């Protein structure tokens, strides 16, 4: 693996951890260093950092909060 690619990965702890969990990327990066951006996209999906995944987590937390509020309202009416 090229040193500049390795330094780029070391600067980003999530990428470095992803690389350690997925060793097939060592071989892919050694053969094609420009695929580091592809690995970065895959790591975002793996860690749930894509926009749709973040929106889904936000929606889930909003649903939980709404359910909690409804439960509090039902206790107050009794």
């Amino acid at each position: 693996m090229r040193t500049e690619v390795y330094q780029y990965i070391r600067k980003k702890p999530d990428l470095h951890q992803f690389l350690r969990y997925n060793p097939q990327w060592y071989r892919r990066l050694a053969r094609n260093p420009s695929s580091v951006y592809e690995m970065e996209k895959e790591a975002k999906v793996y860690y749930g950092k894509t926009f749709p995944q973040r929106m889904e987590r936000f929606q889930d937390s909003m649903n939980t909060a709404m359910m909690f509020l409804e439960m509090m309202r039902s206790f107050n009416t009794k």
Side-chain angles (χ1 to χ4, degrees):
M1 185 182 324
R2 290 186 179 173
T3 57
E4 61 269 6
V5 173
Y6 188 68
Q7 288 173 353
Y8 177 78
I9 291 170
R10 289 289 296 193
K11 288 181 184 176
K12 300 185 177 194
D14 287 344
L15 276 183
H16 188 248
Q17 192 68 26
F18 180 77
L19 184 62
R20 296 191 84 192
Y21 287 147
N22 299 285
Q24 71 271 14
W25 277 101
Y26 284 107
R27 188 176 310 127
R28 289 178 71 177
L29 290 173
R31 293 178 183 164
N32 185 9
S34 64
S35 64
V36 71
Y37 301 111
E38 183 183 336
M39 183 186 82
E40 199 166 5
K41 287 179 186 178
E42 195 171 314
K44 283 184 180 182
V45 172
Y46 179 79
Y47 286 116
K49 292 185 176 184
T50 63
F51 184 73
Q53 290 170 321
R54 291 188 317 200
M55 288 302 294
E56 185 177 343
R57 277 197 310 272
F58 177 73
Q59 186 177 11
D60 289 344
S61 63
M62 289 300 292
N63 287 339
T64 303
M66 292 301 290
M67 186 172 57
F68 180 71
L69 286 173
E70 288 296 322
M71 188 171 49
M72 293 304 289
R73 281 188 199 154
S74 69
F75 286 136
N76 286 340
T77 59
K78 291 182 179 181

